[in-house]
Amino acid sequence: MALTATEPAASTGSFGPATALSCRECGQRVELGPTFACEFCFGPLEVAYDFTPGAVTRESIARGPKNIWRYAGLLPVPADVADLPNMNPGLTPLVRADRLAAELGLRSLHVKDDSANPTHSFKDRVVAMAVEAARTFGFRTLSCSSTGNLAGAVGAAAARAGFESCVFIPAGLEEGKVVMAAVYGGKVVAIDGNYDDVNRFCSELIGDPAGEDWGFVNVNLRPYYGEGSKTLAYEIAEQLGWRLPEQIIIPIASGSQLTKIDKGFQELIALGLVEDRPYRIFGAQATGCSPVARAWEAGHDVIQPVKPDTIAKSLAIGNPADGPYVLDICRRTGGSVVHVGDDAIVDSIKLLARTEGVFAETAGGVTTGVLRALVADGVLDPEASTVVLNTGDGLKTLNAVADSGVTATIKPSLDAFKGAGLV
Amino acid sequence: MALTATEPAASTGSFGPATALSCRECGQRVELGPTFACEFCFGPLEVAYDFTPGAVTRESIARGPKNIWRYAGLLPVPADVADLPNMNPGLTPLVRADRLAAELGLRSLHVKDDSANPTHSFKDRVVAMAVEAARTFGFRTLSCSSTGNLAGAVGAAAARAGFESCVFIPAGLEEGKVVMAAVYGGKVVAIDGNYDDVNRFCSELIGDPAGEDWGFVNVNLRPYYGEGSKTLAYEIAEQLGWRLPEQIIIPIASGSQLTKIDKGFQELIALGLVEDRPYRIFGAQATGCSPVARAWEAGHDVIQPVKPDTIAKSLAIGNPADGPYVLDICRRTGGSVVHVGDDAIVDSIKLLARTEGVFAETAGGVTTGVLRALVADGVLDPEASTVVLNTGDGLKTLNAVADSGVTATIKPSLDAFKGAGLV
């Protein structure tokens, strides 16, 4: 299809198997639209589906594209979605981490490495969904509040699909994330404050004429956006040979990703695509921003907001919207919510790099650090199949491991090399 | 398979369909071994194959893993290669670049985006091959001379596969490349000098007892290593629906990649996997390191070495070993060799980002810049299917686009937003 350089491609405007938005709190159903909160109880709206039995099979998935659109039949997107201009993320490697498993004394460990996505974080998955919703609703500008990764994902996706973009980030982010947000040519606005301030500002903007025609991927498009995280569940199951992992460690920022991975597993069970066997979900936070882990430790159902102070900036959401649902899921599945400090995060980034050649962002240091803590505390079953998520790329948080530099600088001679004590 | 944390996994030690090393100059054949230069004429050794007709088909490839090992039957690797610990690169996106095509007035343009590889450059492809050769030959340490990307790829692959590593880079590389080389825990040695000095040093080291048991991926393992670039040709053809592109733009550092893509296309034709139709190969260099383009312009067969001075450091090889073969291939296929300056490189990185959401390394700015130059000069057929390679990731060369920063920094209020002149 020939496109002009400035207009989003038309979509068939269908949401595939999605039939409505449904309130997670009161169950009230509303039409599919750019809304995110229940008008009756203010609860969060989620996409509801009517799956045709047998319409999606392991075989139909295997024949699909080598990206998230192989699961289009389980997502709120039109059937021809793979033909539309989109970043097409997903089908990232599930790395068999035998050497890390050996160091930790585990039998079966895999790393789901989402740094392989187009802008090198899992955010490409959720943005890909929001782009299709924005296209259908006729928005021309994409926006978001972001801790960094999302800004880059929105900038790139807007460029690919022909939208304008204007993204909002907290001031003082890592250089890699700022440049990656700005290089695609959209507007990048830094807000004096932390992520929670940025988020509040966006909620205000969306109610103002200045922002009312914008598609905020994680605000008014949030129900669609969130569904992108289900594809992590689908891929992990498919890559394990259509089996669920017995233990999985997932980072918590807003908590949305963890809840959607659980939703994805439940859908696979309901559709008969995997056997219904127990799985335990563990949530991972940085000590410097651990409101969900603190609530877990205290046995509370309510999350006490915190002011983040951690190197894991992509997880630095002090008031996580889906925190209570995370607590529910970790309780229901026999998991827990654990936090680790910045030193353990850095050590764990290096451990993962040294044993598996995976260079993780600080968020991957958090999940790997929590993996180690759970092993050390005897919480994990070392015989059970375990998956740990790396949701971002080490190149975006170079400062965390900036002490990893050259071993020596020498003149180009054998004598200099031998004299440097390297061999 | 259970691995210890410190030993490379055993391999079946087979080189699959490869039967010998063959001298590119005099045709002399020698046994498959860790050698790279003909003992008769000092010409470069290449892997020679005996392909069983019909053993590799489009269908057998489609059933294979979703990485370069789907082409294992065309590579010097054992049949069980996909079960061995390796970074498993490849099957990177071939992005349909409709918006960039519209800006340039082309009908059919694709970007082969190799930033999607595990360490975000095409080097993962060649290192994956060298790792298997190193395993077979019993080396325990991997090494290389690198302009940056290769060092990261070797560090990661060594970690994954359980080798020691010691890599050599020129002093003064981009921080991202240095950290990415070092974070995997191997030794990173900076050499006072440019890449050609590093390369000379490695050739010396390999003849010394200090380095004689090392697998230098781009020296004594070079014949195997080089074959990894063939997978770019296979993937592009498969992703175009088993057709060759009519025009392709490839960056030139040593020139090896360009020659191997041509070799890959020729193999596909010989095996009947694609129709035998003409294709034109264009080589791309940065003006500040353009010895092959200068020879092309002057009509020379001999390359005059230069001292590199360009922001495209991953292409900054002043004495490119495969330069003469590049000239041959571009002549034979009706292409050419073109160079663009640093300003055009930066502009082209931004153009590619703005139109397609692909954030390229400077090398991708070179190929995109050459694409624009070829269009402007009327050299390319605008109706012909065209592929441009992006071989690395913008996150590794942030400095090139460091002027891409925040549009504005504001207080978190609507008044501040509206006062900033953004809407």
Side-chain angles (χ1 to χ4, degrees):
Chain A
M1 147 192 33
L3 292 177
T4 70
T6 55
E7 243 179 277
S11 139
T12 54
S14 149
F15 285 104
T19 51
L21 296 180
S22 159
C23 175
R24 182 149 185 157
E25 289 297 326
C26 74
Q28 181 71 33
R29 287 164 85 95
V30 296
E31 258 184 38
L32 291 160
T35 52
F36 57 104
C38 177
E39 57 184 340
F40 297 93
C41 76
F42 304 106
L45 296 175
E46 278 202 317
V47 175
Y49 299 90
D50 185 7
F51 294 123
T52 312
V56 175
T57 63
R58 294 180 183 181
E59 294 69 31
S60 72
I61 290 168
R63 282 193 303 272
K66 296 179 184 70
N67 55 51
I68 58 169
W69 304 131
R70 64 202 282 111
Y71 312 107
L74 304 174
L75 298 169
V77 292
D80 66 347
V81 63
D83 296 328
L84 297 167
N86 191 300
M87 296 299 287
N88 304 327
L91 220 57
T92 56
L94 185 71
V95 176
R96 200 175 68 188
D98 289 339
R99 285 161 43 76
L100 179 55
E103 281 221 7
L104 298 180
L106 300 175
R107 192 185 57 79
S108 164
L109 177 66
H110 288 83
V111 178
K112 179 63 173 172
D113 186 11
D114 247 17
S115 68
N117 278 315
T119 69
H120 307 322
S121 86
F122 98 97
K123 292 291 186 185
D124 291 319
R125 298 178 183 272
V126 285
V127 171
M129 311 295 305
V131 161
E132 295 312 320
R135 208 188 315 261
T136 298
F137 295 133
F139 291 125
R140 297 291 297 271
T141 299
L142 290 184
S143 185
C144 67
S145 54
S146 171
T147 58
N149 280 327
L150 182 57
V154 167
R160 175 77 57 89
F163 291 87
E164 301 291 319
S165 69
C166 181
V167 301
F168 299 92
I169 57 174
L173 274 193
E174 300 96 335
E175 189 200 3
K177 287 182 179 167
V178 174
V179 172
M180 194 147 191
V183 75
Y184 304 105
K187 290 174 185 147
V188 179
V189 180
I191 300 275
D192 268 336
N194 61 27
Y195 175 77
D196 298 286
D197 297 318
V198 179
N199 217 11
R200 267 191 303 273
F201 167 77
C202 285
S203 300
E204 222 184 322
L205 179 55
I206 210 167
D208 188 272
E212 70 182 353
D213 289 333
W214 291 11
F216 287 79
V217 302
N218 56 345
V219 188
N220 56 349
L221 300 175
R222 190 171 185 84
Y224 311 92
Y225 165 93
E227 296 296 283
S229 289
K230 292 195 310 179
T231 61
L232 275 164
Y234 304 152
E235 290 182 15
I236 290 168
E238 182 180 3
Q239 290 171 320
L240 288 175
W242 290 111
R243 279 184 319 175
L244 301 182
E246 293 167 280
Q247 306 175 134
I248 182 167
I249 296 154
I250 303 172
I252 301 171
S254 73
S256 168
Q257 184 187 67
L258 187 146
T259 69
K260 297 300 181 181
I261 290 175
D262 179 56
K263 186 181 182 187
F265 285 162
Q266 290 298 318
E267 287 175 348
L268 294 180
I269 291 169
L271 292 164
L273 288 165
V274 298
E275 203 183 326
D276 185 2
R277 293 177 57 179
Y279 56 86
R280 298 166 75 195
I281 292 186
F282 297 87
Q285 294 204 296
T287 301
C289 182
S290 50
V292 187
R294 305 287 180 188
W296 175 271
E297 285 170 355
H300 291 165
D301 287 331
V302 175
I303 309 291
Q304 189 75 37
V306 302
K307 209 175 159 76
D309 179 18
T310 168
I311 57 168
K313 296 195 179 181
S314 63
L315 304 183
I317 299 185
N319 189 11
D322 286 321
Y325 304 122
V326 166
L327 294 173
D328 285 350
I329 289 165
C330 292
R331 246 179 234 129
R332 193 197 82 224
T333 64
S336 61
V337 186
V338 174
H339 61 90
V340 289
D342 285 359
D343 287 351
I345 294 169
V346 171
D347 280 355
S348 299
I349 291 173
K350 292 180 181 174
L351 174 68
L352 186 59
R354 176 171 62 75
T355 54
E356 297 299 338
V358 171
F359 183 22
E361 206 211 60
T362 44
V366 170
T367 49
T368 305
V370 166
L371 169 72
R372 296 164 83 183
L374 290 168
V375 169
D377 293 347
V379 177
L380 287 190
D381 175 358
E383 295 299 314
S385 82
T386 304
V387 171
V388 61
L389 260 60
N390 173 39
T391 52
D393 201 292
L395 277 172
K396 297 202 199 178
T397 56
L398 281 178
N399 283 350
V401 290
D403 62 334
S404 296
V406 296
T407 316
T409 300
I410 62 170
K411 299 275 174 208
S413 81
L414 283 178
D415 283 348
F417 179 61
K418 292 176 185 172
L422 294 161
V423 283
Chain B
M1 148 190 33
L3 292 178
T4 70
T6 53
E7 241 177 278
S11 139
T12 55
S14 150
F15 284 103
T19 51
L21 296 180
S22 159
C23 175
R24 183 149 185 157
E25 288 297 326
C26 75
Q28 181 69 34
R29 287 165 85 96
V30 297
E31 257 184 37
L32 291 160
T35 52
F36 57 104
C38 176
E39 58 184 337
F40 298 93
C41 76
F42 304 107
L45 296 175
E46 278 202 317
V47 176
Y49 299 90
D50 185 7
F51 294 124
T52 311
V56 175
T57 63
R58 293 179 183 181
E59 293 70 31
S60 72
I61 290 169
R63 283 192 303 270
K66 296 177 184 70
N67 55 51
I68 58 168
W69 304 133
R70 65 204 279 109
Y71 312 107
L74 304 174
L75 298 169
V77 293
D80 66 348
V81 63
D83 296 328
L84 297 167
N86 192 301
M87 297 299 287
N88 304 329
L91 221 57
T92 55
L94 186 72
V95 176
R96 200 175 67 185
D98 288 341
R99 285 162 43 76
L100 179 56
E103 282 223 6
L104 299 180
L106 300 175
R107 191 185 57 78
S108 163
L109 177 66
H110 288 83
V111 178
K112 179 64 174 171
D113 186 10
D114 246 18
S115 68
N117 278 314
T119 69
H120 306 321
S121 87
F122 97 97
K123 292 293 186 185
D124 290 319
R125 298 178 184 272
V126 286
V127 171
M129 311 296 305
V131 161
E132 296 310 321
R135 207 186 319 257
T136 299
F137 294 135
F139 291 124
R140 297 292 297 273
T141 299
L142 290 184
S143 185
C144 67
S145 54
S146 171
T147 59
N149 280 326
L150 183 57
V154 167
R160 175 78 56 90
F163 290 87
E164 301 291 320
S165 70
C166 180
V167 301
F168 299 93
I169 57 175
L173 273 193
E174 301 97 335
E175 189 200 2
K177 287 182 180 168
V178 174
V179 172
M180 194 148 189
V183 75
Y184 304 104
K187 290 174 187 148
V188 179
V189 180
I191 299 275
D192 268 336
N194 61 27
Y195 175 76
D196 298 286
D197 297 318
V198 179
N199 217 10
R200 266 191 302 275
F201 167 77
C202 285
S203 301
E204 222 184 321
L205 179 55
I206 209 167
D208 188 272
E212 69 182 354
D213 290 333
W214 292 11
F216 287 80
V217 301
N218 55 345
V219 189
N220 57 348
L221 299 175
R222 190 171 186 85
Y224 311 92
Y225 165 93
E227 296 297 283
S229 289
K230 292 196 310 180
T231 60
L232 276 164
Y234 304 153
E235 289 182 17
I236 290 167
E238 182 180 2
Q239 290 170 319
L240 288 175
W242 290 111
R243 279 184 320 175
L244 301 182
E246 293 169 280
Q247 305 174 134
I248 182 166
I249 296 154
I250 304 171
I252 300 172
S254 73
S256 169
Q257 184 187 68
L258 187 147
T259 69
K260 298 300 181 180
I261 290 175
D262 178 57
K263 186 181 182 187
F265 286 163
Q266 290 298 318
E267 287 175 348
L268 294 180
I269 292 169
L271 291 164
L273 289 165
V274 297
E275 202 184 327
D276 185 2
R277 293 178 57 180
Y279 56 86
R280 297 165 76 195
I281 293 186
F282 297 87
Q285 295 204 295
T287 301
C289 182
S290 51
V292 187
R294 305 288 180 185
W296 176 271
E297 285 171 355
H300 291 165
D301 287 333
V302 175
I303 309 292
Q304 190 76 37
V306 302
K307 211 177 158 76
D309 179 19
T310 170
I311 57 169
K313 296 194 181 183
S314 63
L315 304 183
I317 299 185
N319 189 11
D322 286 322
Y325 304 123
V326 166
L327 295 173
D328 285 350
I329 289 166
C330 292
R331 248 179 233 128
R332 192 196 81 225
T333 63
S336 61
V337 187
V338 175
H339 60 89
V340 288
D342 286 357
D343 287 351
I345 294 169
V346 171
D347 280 354
S348 299
I349 291 173
K350 292 179 180 173
L351 174 67
L352 186 59
R354 177 171 61 75
T355 53
E356 297 298 338
V358 172
F359 183 22
E361 207 212 60
T362 44
V366 171
T367 49
T368 305
V370 165
L371 169 71
R372 298 165 82 182
L374 290 168
V375 170
D377 293 347
V379 177
L380 287 190
D381 174 359
E383 295 299 313
S385 81
T386 303
V387 171
V388 61
L389 260 61
N390 173 39
T391 52
D393 201 293
L395 279 173
K396 297 202 199 179
T397 56
L398 282 177
N399 282 349
V401 291
D403 62 335
S404 296
V406 297
T407 316
T409 300
I410 62 169
K411 300 274 174 209
S413 83
L414 283 178
D415 282 349
F417 179 61
K418 291 174 184 173
L422 293 162
V423 283

